[in-house]
Amino acid sequence: AEYMGENTMAHFDVPVHTPKLWIASCRPVRVMNHFSEGLTFFQPDNCLVCPHLDACPSLKEASNPSFKQRKHLQLYRHTAPVYAPNEDTYQIPGAALVCDAHQAEHGTELPSNQTVLVFVHGFRQRYWKVVACGMHLRSMITPEELGDEGVCVLGFLWPCHRRNYFMARSKAEKAGHFLQQTLQILLARGNSVHIYAHSLGCRVSLFALLDFHIPAPLPRFKQGSLHSLLMSGAAVPVDSLCPNGKFPSTRLACERIHVFFSSNDETLGTAFRLGELIPGISHLSLISGTTALGLKGFDNLTIPAKCFQHDVSSTVAEHRTHLWIASVDMVAVMLLELAQTAPPTSVRSETARELAVDESWPHSETEIGVDEYEAEELP
């Protein structure tokens, strides 16, 4: 306890929840390789909880910890209350307001008439990492930029596997159907919805939006509308959104698609090509030389309809999710998109308001005047 300061989250003995952070899960929380029978919605514990709990190696060295172990003990809690509504439900550490899809759509707890940012994670992401990313997004999207109410972040949890990329890739389509159901519930509750996807989560999101028929016209606020898809480090081929690609942009049910890419992403430069090789062989097509959309953007291709690309190589050094979330270039575009669906009286920045109503987004990287800052990456 002497290593845990008053300003850390680790000293809390009970879960901490906020109505601005939710999880929608189509997998058992503690399992990464198969689907659950249906969707589960809940508010996660906002404290950072060590996945090893009381078996954490750092606890064994608590009497004489290294600097890294001391920081770990300051940031992470090593106990977690467990919610188990019945014997058939997998345990959800520290969760609150747990409900199924029907209860979520017709109950009063899930966000309604708000701006919601849905976060779709990529390959081999554990539960606590997804929660941490949701917290990181919430910290980047502050009430000062988007009004007193801010934005609700909903993390979408799907069976992304821990080691088998090919199995995770094969589950993207079914996960997309669960994500589509999640979007339907959010829209039915009058929310303005944006999607932020990373890596293989981009493939899940594209499956969810492909030929997803939403009644039109839809007002921009308080009556349910699906606005932008923001993709970072997209683990899909560079031509995926083209007319002849797997996910033609004209068939995707969103107003705008932003593609953020970084030429520094070595994971997409090497592992992605191998990951696409075996599916290509099974379909008798040679795609081992496929370039990832998240590595070079659309490259030399004609930019598809309603798509915009942004080179964030100067602020993103590798593939890790938190580095993308901390990119000032990407966050600036994200804030402008979210500001378009916030109530006009809540937008604090005149500059943000003026840019938000301007729909003439450039087809290259967007230059936006923002203050430089250093964002500390969450563990």
Side-chain angles (χ1 to χ4, degrees):
E2 64 180 291
Y3 298 109
M4 301 180 184
E6 288 298 320
N7 294 324
T8 68
M9 295 292 285
H11 69 280
F12 285 101
D13 293 325
V14 296
V16 177
H17 305 106
T18 171
K20 294 300 181 179
L21 181 62
W22 284 80
I23 294 290
S25 179
C26 63
R27 82 184 198 201
V29 166
R30 294 184 180 234
V31 178
M32 298 176 64
N33 58 5
H34 66 261
F35 289 96
S36 52
E37 293 185 1
L39 282 168
T40 302
F41 294 81
F42 58 91
Q43 290 180 3
D45 184 356
N46 284 207
C47 291
L48 294 176
V49 180
C50 175
H52 301 291
L53 297 178
D54 56 3
C56 176
S58 295
L59 288 176
K60 299 178 182 180
E61 304 294 334
S63 60
N64 187 28
S66 65
F67 175 79
K68 184 176 181 179
Q69 290 171 331
R70 179 172 178 172
K71 294 297 291 184
H72 178 84
L73 292 172
Q74 288 177 337
L75 287 170
Y76 287 87
R77 193 177 66 212
H78 290 78
T79 59
V82 171
Y83 178 92
N86 55 61
E87 294 181 357
D88 299 327
T89 303
Y90 280 85
Q91 296 176 334
I92 305 174
L97 303 179
V98 183
C99 58
D100 59 23
H102 177 78
Q103 295 167 329
E105 182 173 358
H106 300 286
T108 59
E109 292 84 6
L110 207 66
S112 59
N113 299 324
Q114 297 183 37
T115 297
V116 178
L117 178 65
V118 178
F119 166 58
V120 186
H121 64 81
F123 175 51
R124 66 177 190 182
Q125 297 297 295
R126 297 188 180 189
Y127 167 66
W128 293 114
K129 181 64 177 294
V130 176
V131 174
C133 287
M135 293 167 59
H136 195 176
L137 280 168
R138 278 286 300 148
S139 70
M140 303 298 285
I141 306 167
T142 58
E144 286 73 17
E145 277 81 19
L146 295 168
D148 295 331
E149 294 299 320
V151 171
C152 177
V153 174
L154 183 144
F156 179 76
L157 205 64
W158 62 282
C160 57
H161 285 257
R162 186 177 178 184
R163 293 185 176 89
N164 195 327
Y165 174 85
F166 310 110
M167 290 299 295
R169 185 184 185 278
S170 69
K171 287 181 169 64
E173 183 170 5
K174 184 175 180 179
H177 293 319
F178 277 109
L179 176 57
Q180 188 177 105
Q181 184 181 359
T182 301
L183 297 175
Q184 288 174 327
I185 292 173
L186 291 173
L187 293 170
R189 297 179 64 83
N191 294 296
S192 294
V193 180
H194 302 260
I195 302 174
Y196 167 60
H198 177 255
S199 191
L200 195 56
C202 296
R203 188 176 186 86
V204 175
S205 301
L206 292 171
F207 270 120
L209 296 180
L210 187 65
D211 297 327
F212 179 23
H213 299 293
I214 303 175
L218 283 172
R220 289 192 151 226
F221 193 69
K222 292 189 177 179
Q223 294 186 37
S225 53
L226 190 57
H227 292 267
S228 62
L229 169 63
L230 304 105
M231 300 194 297
S232 67
V236 296
V238 68
D239 61 349
S240 295
L241 303 181
C242 296
N244 297 324
K246 179 73 174 178
F247 309 100
S249 62
T250 53
R251 293 171 54 191
L252 298 176
C254 58
E255 295 180 359
R256 288 173 297 279
I257 303 167
H258 293 275
V259 174
F260 301 92
F261 66 94
S262 172
S263 58
N264 302 318
D265 195 327
E266 295 183 0
T267 299
L268 293 179
T270 55
F272 172 76
R273 295 189 178 189
L274 177 61
E276 293 293 299
L277 175 60
I278 292 180
I281 292 175
S282 67
H283 290 85
L284 301 180
S285 61
L286 183 61
I287 58 173
S288 59
T290 297
T291 301
L293 183 61
L295 181 65
K296 294 185 177 180
F298 294 104
D299 205 7
N300 295 321
L301 299 175
T302 301
I303 297 178
K306 63 183 183 182
C307 292
F308 311 93
Q309 65 176 359
H310 312 268
D311 185 354
V312 295
S313 301
S314 62
T315 54
V316 178
E318 55 183 88
H319 192 65
R320 287 193 298 167
T321 316
H322 282 300
L323 296 183
W324 289 88
I325 296 175
S327 166
V328 292
D329 298 331
M330 191 187 77
V331 170
V333 176
M334 183 182 292
L335 285 172
L336 294 181
E337 277 290 351
L338 295 172
Q340 295 193 55
T341 52
T345 56
S346 296
V347 180
R348 301 296 181 83
S349 170
E350 291 294 332
T351 303
R353 184 189 293 114
E354 292 172 2
L355 290 174
V357 298
D358 179 11
E359 298 196 7
S360 59
W361 291 87
H363 275 49
S364 59
E365 52 269 32
T366 306
E367 295 183 0
I368 303 171
V370 295
D371 293 333
E372 293 290 337
Y373 64 92
E374 294 182 0
E376 181 179 357
E377 180 189 356
L378 292 175

